[in-house]
Amino acid sequence: MKKDRITTINKTAETIETDLLVYFAVEAKGKMPECDTAVHSQVKKAFELKDFSGKAAEQILFYPPARSKIAAARVLVLGTGPVNKEKDKGAALDMLREVGGEVAKVCASVKARDVVVCLPPPKHLSPALTDPEISAGALAEGIILGDYRFEKYKESTRKKTDYPGLDEIKFVCKDNLKIVHQGVEKAKNAAFAACTARDMANEPGNHWTSADFAAYAKQLAADTGLGYRCLEKKEMEQMGMGGILAVNQGSYVPARMVVLEYLPENRTETILLVGKGLTFDSGGISIKPSAGMEEMKYDMCGGAAVMCAMQAVALEKPDVGVVAIVPATDNMSGSRALHPGDIISHYNGVTSEVVNTDAEGRLILADALAWGIEHFKPACVLDAATLTGAVIIGLGHHYTGLVSNNNALAKAVEAAGSLAGEPVWRLPLNKNYEKQIESDVADIKNTGGKPAGTITAAAYLSKFVGKTPWAHLDIAGTAWEFTKKAYIPKGPSGTATRTFINLVRNWKPGKIK
Ligand code: BES
Ligand code: MN
Ligand code: ZN
């Protein structure tokens, strides 16, 4: 779907010719659900027959007769669940996002190429959703994210009858057109960014390398005016980035440190985003078991998230500066590969004993964090990484793990994540965990044993951020196989992209000290 095919209009929905016209009905506990007068009689009938009560994802699909006032081929009334009762703003927004995902699912099942969506009026929604900008935005995000598909490598077997996804969405609203339009535009920026992150992740290791990260960033910069820079292997050698270079040793494709800069002249502060761009993680010499290893093409989801967040930043032009750095390489076991026991030296001079070559994410992030902080002097730094299997043991696939050295920043990330439907759960960090990564022969070692694997990985990273307010997002459990939701198809979720976008949008200078 093209971005300009999603529009907001103030028109009588019934008069619009479309494949599918969508209304919403809000569950009202034992009572007739709240809905648009245009479908009131159908909803009433269905409710009295006990066929429909407005529960989430419940549907009435009907075909207006030829003489009817309705010009659409089909009409869908979709239950939203009790979205008028939910007091938590993040939860209420996510209900709407899921409803949007259901719209996309119905479109796919009836092969609707264009859809007209009648937005529910604020009076039908929760008091937490009085702002029509964000409620319309959540619905729009849900439809766009739910309509996502990755079929690039299935083109040759494609049939004419196969559904290619939506071509057009029109949002109809009676009041607040301007503000709703703004909400839909923001939703487009965020949802398309997350879909691009999913595209990058879906590309397999042979089609998405450090060179592809660089090429994508270069093109994005050319299209939008962002600053682009790429540290090549030689430069990284001169700069002493011994972590990313060590991980890259066993690989055929040279590592790259890809940088995108949004640095407006009037900025007072800069936010630094760093994302793990490990394009395939075999484990290196500490090789992973073969079962499920194909999933390790997703080990670049942090890099995708920060790079794609920049796509939205470039469009929305906030006051705050934002820089994204993606340390990019694969982790292979070629003849020059890093050995277990090797001692390496990072950009900031900290030496590290590599006990396990499969704990590579922290090695590449360390250089990116230390250099990024020194070079851009950010007010805060955030990183996203598919860093540890341990986070899946701790939190499952429902929360992103958060470790931070700053309470205000941790709160801001929690809020941004909650509004995005990407919840984070904070884990502690203190000296006791740091002890686990003490080495006999170097400053630190790259694993801290089995206990608290997510926290000891963060303890490693903490050695490279100094006093800069920092938040680390371990997305190993949420970057794919994320909680089942209608707007998250199987495969990569694009998680953290929209969290970062929200964080930038809600940034206030001096917010983090
Ligand atoms: N990319 C993996 C983490 C991972 C595991 C992501 C499973 C998604 C699903 C990371 O590089 C890794 O291998 N971590 C090791 C660290 C260990 C050797 C200390 C892990 O978690 O097993
Ligand atoms: Mn690994
Ligand atoms: Zn990894």
Side-chain angles (χ1 to χ4, degrees):
M1 189 170 29
K2 296 228 168 59
K3 239 176 160 178
D4 59 5
R5 302 287 285 165
I6 306 173
T7 51
T8 321
I9 51 171
N10 181 355
K11 207 171 160 183
T12 311
E14 292 92 309
T15 63
I16 307 172
E17 275 186 45
T18 176
D19 292 339
L20 183 70
L21 171 60
V22 181
Y23 292 96
F24 300 103
V26 179
E27 187 176 0
K29 233 190 178 176
K31 286 203 225 103
M32 160 81 186
E34 304 221 55
C35 65
D36 195 290
T37 48
V39 287
H40 191 272
S41 66
Q42 281 88 353
V43 172
K44 188 160 183 267
K45 213 181 264 173
F47 175 69
E48 282 166 1
L49 289 167
K50 297 194 164 52
D51 287 358
F52 182 86
S53 61
K55 278 196 187 63
E58 223 175 34
Q59 300 167 11
I60 304 173
L61 185 65
F62 67 91
Y63 302 86
R67 288 181 295 101
S68 138
K69 273 191 217 145
I70 299 179
R74 309 168 185 83
V75 176
L76 170 71
V77 182
L78 191 58
T80 64
V83 70
N84 48 348
K85 293 278 179 314
E86 180 54 64
K87 288 195 189 76
D88 180 75
K89 194 169 168 184
L93 282 176
D94 215 39
M95 283 174 88
L96 288 181
R97 219 176 270 117
E98 286 226 59
V99 169
E102 294 294 344
V103 171
K105 279 189 170 176
V106 175
C107 287
S109 76
V110 301
K111 296 193 173 165
R113 296 300 315 279
D114 66 84
V115 62
V116 171
V117 179
C118 277
L119 293 168
K123 65 168 195 269
H124 288 177
L125 303 175
S126 143
L129 293 177
T130 47
D131 181 354
E133 177 180 322
I134 61 160
S135 54
L139 258 172
E141 270 185 14
I143 302 177
I144 300 166
L145 291 166
D147 183 52
Y148 177 82
R149 60 204 76 235
F150 184 79
E151 285 166 349
K152 186 174 163 187
Y153 296 104
K154 290 186 169 203
E155 285 305 319
S156 70
T157 53
R158 202 178 170 86
K159 293 190 216 72
K160 271 210 172 101
T161 49
D162 286 350
Y163 180 65
L166 278 166
D167 172 56
E168 186 174 10
I169 311 174
K170 286 197 186 92
F171 291 97
V172 178
C173 71
K174 297 197 176 111
D175 323 288
N176 308 309
L177 184 71
K178 216 173 145 190
I179 194 157
V180 165
H181 175 76
Q182 196 173 318
V184 170
E185 288 305 307
K186 280 180 155 180
K188 279 156 69 174
N189 294 343
F192 276 86
C195 287
T196 307
R198 291 175 179 176
D199 277 342
M200 291 179 179
N202 268 316
E203 288 289 353
N206 61 332
H207 287 288
W208 195 266
T209 66
S210 69
D212 295 283
F213 263 124
Y216 183 85
K218 192 171 183 186
Q219 187 62 48
L220 182 65
D223 292 345
T224 60
L226 291 177
Y228 162 78
R229 185 166 171 191
C230 177
L231 304 183
E232 305 281 346
K233 212 171 140 177
K234 241 208 173 116
E235 231 173 325
M236 293 193 283
E237 277 164 9
Q238 284 157 3
M239 294 167 81
M241 295 190 168
I244 183 169
L245 291 168
V247 173
N248 185 240
Q249 269 171 221
S251 173
Y252 173 77
V253 185
R256 292 174 172 88
M257 186 84 73
V258 185
V259 187
L260 277 172
E261 301 168 359
Y262 169 76
L263 296 170
E265 258 171 40
N266 56 347
R267 72 186 183 278
T268 53
E269 290 176 342
T270 299
I271 301 173
L272 176 61
L273 306 175
V274 175
K276 173 177 174 182
L278 213 292
T279 56
F280 183 78
D281 184 9
S282 74
I285 296 297
S286 314
I287 196 164
K288 286 185 181 296
S290 54
M293 203 202 270
E294 73 282 359
E295 291 191 338
M296 283 302 133
K297 70 172 181 177
Y298 295 141
D299 211 14
M300 36 54 71
C301 284
V306 303
M307 195 167 276
C308 294
M310 293 306 282
Q311 191 177 300
V313 168
L315 295 171
E316 296 183 0
K317 301 191 171 33
D319 296 332
V320 65
V322 189
V323 173
I325 305 180
V326 180
T329 176
D330 50 5
N331 184 20
M332 300 298 289
S333 48
S335 60
R336 296 182 47 189
L338 184 66
H339 320 122
D342 283 359
I343 297 175
I344 61 168
S345 173
H346 282 294
Y347 178 76
N348 65 350
V350 171
T351 61
S352 173
E353 178 189 6
V354 179
V355 173
N356 189 321
T357 65
D358 197 13
E360 84 299 335
R362 61 201 79 181
L363 303 185
I364 71 170
L365 290 168
D367 291 330
L369 288 166
W371 174 71
I373 288 169
E374 182 191 276
H375 193 77
F376 295 101
K377 303 187 172 46
C380 68
V381 55
L382 296 105
D383 76 78
T386 47
L387 207 61
T388 65
V391 80
I392 309 175
I393 305 301
L395 300 173
H397 296 286
H398 310 300
Y399 280 89
T400 285
L402 166 68
V403 177
S404 179
N405 62 2
N406 184 292
N407 293 336
L409 182 61
K411 282 235 154 61
V413 174
E414 279 165 356
S418 160
L419 290 182
E422 300 177 338
V424 304
W425 194 265
R426 190 174 178 185
L427 303 169
L429 175 62
N430 65 29
K431 290 263 177 300
N432 297 325
Y433 296 102
E434 289 173 31
K435 281 204 185 98
Q436 281 179 240
I437 56 165
E438 279 171 9
S439 164
D440 294 335
V441 289
D443 294 334
I444 48 175
K445 60 182 177 185
N446 80 331
T447 66
K450 229 177 176 189
T454 302
I455 302 174
T456 54
Y460 190 94
L461 300 180
S462 75
K463 305 287 177 192
F464 303 89
V465 299
K467 291 215 157 60
T468 305
W470 158 69
H472 159 63
L473 299 178
D474 193 331
I475 58 171
T478 52
W480 70 100
E481 289 184 18
F482 192 21
T483 316
K484 239 192 171 143
K485 295 184 191 185
Y487 67 89
I488 308 179
K490 228 173 118 192
S493 62
T495 201
T497 311
R498 290 179 304 106
T499 295
F500 288 145
I501 294 170
N502 279 345
L503 193 94
V504 171
R505 282 176 182 166
N506 299 337
W507 186 263
K508 305 238 165 20
K511 180 168 173 157
I512 308 301
K513 286 195 188 79

